[in-house]
Amino acid sequence: MADYDLVIAGGMVVTPSDMVAADIGVIGDRIAAIGLNLRGDRMIDAGGLLVMPGGVDSHCHIEQLQEGGGADEETWTTGSTSALAGGTTSVITFSTQFKGGGILGPLAEYRRRAARAMVDYAFHQIITDASDTVIFDEVPKVVESGVRSLKVFLTYDPLHLDDRQFLRVLAAARRSGAFVTVHCENYEAINWRTAALLADGRTAPKYHAWSRPSMIEREATHRAIALAELVDQPIQVFHVSCPEVAEEIDRARRRGLKVWGETCPQYFVLSAEHMDRPGFEGAKFMCSPAPRDAQASAGLWKMINDGVLDIVSSDHSGWSYDTPVGKRVNGIDAPFRDIPNGVPGLAARLPILFSEGVGKGHIDPIQFVRLTAYNPARLFGLYPRKGTIAPGADADLVLWDPQRSVTLDNATMQHVIDYTPYEGLEVTGWPVMTLRRGEVAMRDGVVRAEPGTGQFLARGPYDMIKPTGRVPFGFDASAFLV
Ligand code: URP
Ligand code: ZN
Ligand code: ZN
């Protein structure tokens, strides 16, 4: 009788710290050993392949509830399929709040929908209305139930919070031992510039980028960091689009603040020029912050190598191009202000990062694993169960062919969205098999997991997101329910 239920044999195992030619022994749903000449009841030949931890996508929008009923087009079944097709085995998505309402009701509905997941999942809780009930009563309950991160938007109607409300969220997180993630753009500045652009008849998708240049993101990032410092609450800045914004994070970290930064594949391969396609086509590339230019993309690699940006998520936020509920929900002539923001990217995340990063010599496979699995798992309290290859960890693995070249098209993405902004992009490096907790969930592009087999990842307290203990004048204002 063999020692292991399953052995992945002969691959190049990439952990967050090493690359070694080894076998991986799996018992049940967990990794039991890394060694040589392991024997399993089932053997999978990984010769010529990299074997890496399954991707952890800590920022993606799947079946997010929408105001007035319904949800995003991407369902838990289609979103899971796309994730597994792209080598991702765990996701963190969003339970939302509608202004004037609470967070417990939407969270219960969101949990019900997520029960169909085929990947393992956790949630960030969005706060759009920092009412007394939500801040004092509901946030502690939500955090206690295993949803240990809150998300705020400093822009977007009707989601954005003003500074006072943001402070109340930071304080509530500090009291409950939760983490806070922030969409950083200046609401008033965008609205002011948008009004001027529309007054001048500039309505096409390309003016989305003109309405929110980088200083609008930089200012909000600076402010978010300063307010987080005031409260002594650790934060992560979402979807950093350019180095000037990352510099704000760098400065904060050098001063010992607990601030982290995330970026996304779109900021490496898309630019403002993509939104300047004829007619409505530019809408396919509209997301916020807006993609910048080639110089900004190049600068992001330096910020990654300096450790300032340490997570690459997808920010998958799909709106189909041709359906009436997607990008053209307000008509094909809608001004840029009224076109939904977001691009799909669950399946494209790992291939684009590998091809652009490892393939072009910006990072090595170990850094790739840290950016896509290990760092998100650590920052969001999923490690060591997720994000690594080690005895005791879940057997979430992606077998990766570093030589395979693929031209991306919408079919390979396997999402419900009817387009990909990466159509025609050639990548080298491709996931050929995804194992989720020891089961083959994807092989050669065929996803075979069953809806309902994903597990909710409840997140308890962990050290990484503990406050520093430094508050101005030694006075901890977050201790007061104000
Ligand atoms: O444009 C984007 N990024 N849409 C998704 C929502 C968000 O801001 O993260
Ligand atoms: Zn955002
Ligand atoms: Zn997002």
Side-chain angles (χ1 to χ4, degrees), residues 59 151 153 156 183 239 288 315:
H59 178 175
K151 157 81 187 286
F153 293 91
Y156 288 145
H183 177 126
H239 42 45
S288 295
D315 190 9

Side-chain angles (χ1 to χ4, degrees), residues 59 61 64 94 151 153 156 159 183 185 208 238-239 266-267 286-289 315-317 319 340-343:
H59 178 175
H61 304 264
Q64 192 169 310
F94 297 86
K151 157 81 187 286
F153 293 91
Y156 288 145
L159 306 176
H183 177 126
E185 289 186 291
H208 174 69
F238 265 173
H239 42 45
Q266 47 270 39
Y267 301 114
M286 280 177 62
C287 60
S288 295
D315 190 9
H316 175 93
S317 177
W319 304 89
N341 285 198
V343 292

Side-chain angles (χ1 to χ4, degrees), residues 29 48 57 130 147 158 191 221 232 245-246 270 285 294 317 380 480:
D29 55 8
D57 194 341
V147 178
N191 285 349
T221 301
D232 183 30
V245 171
L270 299 182
F285 308 93
S317 177
F380 291 100
F480 298 85

Side-chain angles (χ1 to χ4, degrees), residues 48-77:
L49 302 177
L50 302 179
V51 184
M52 302 190 282
V56 178
D57 194 341
S58 53
H59 178 175
C60 45
H61 304 264
I62 297 176
E63 208 166 329
Q64 192 169 310
L65 304 184
Q66 291 180 2
E67 188 124 43
D72 285 357
E73 282 175 86
E74 201 71 80
T75 67
W76 276 99
T77 328

Side-chain angles (χ1 to χ4, degrees), residues 458-469:
R459 296 179 288 141
Y462 53 103
D463 284 349
M464 198 155 168
I465 60 164
K466 280 193 179 145
T468 65

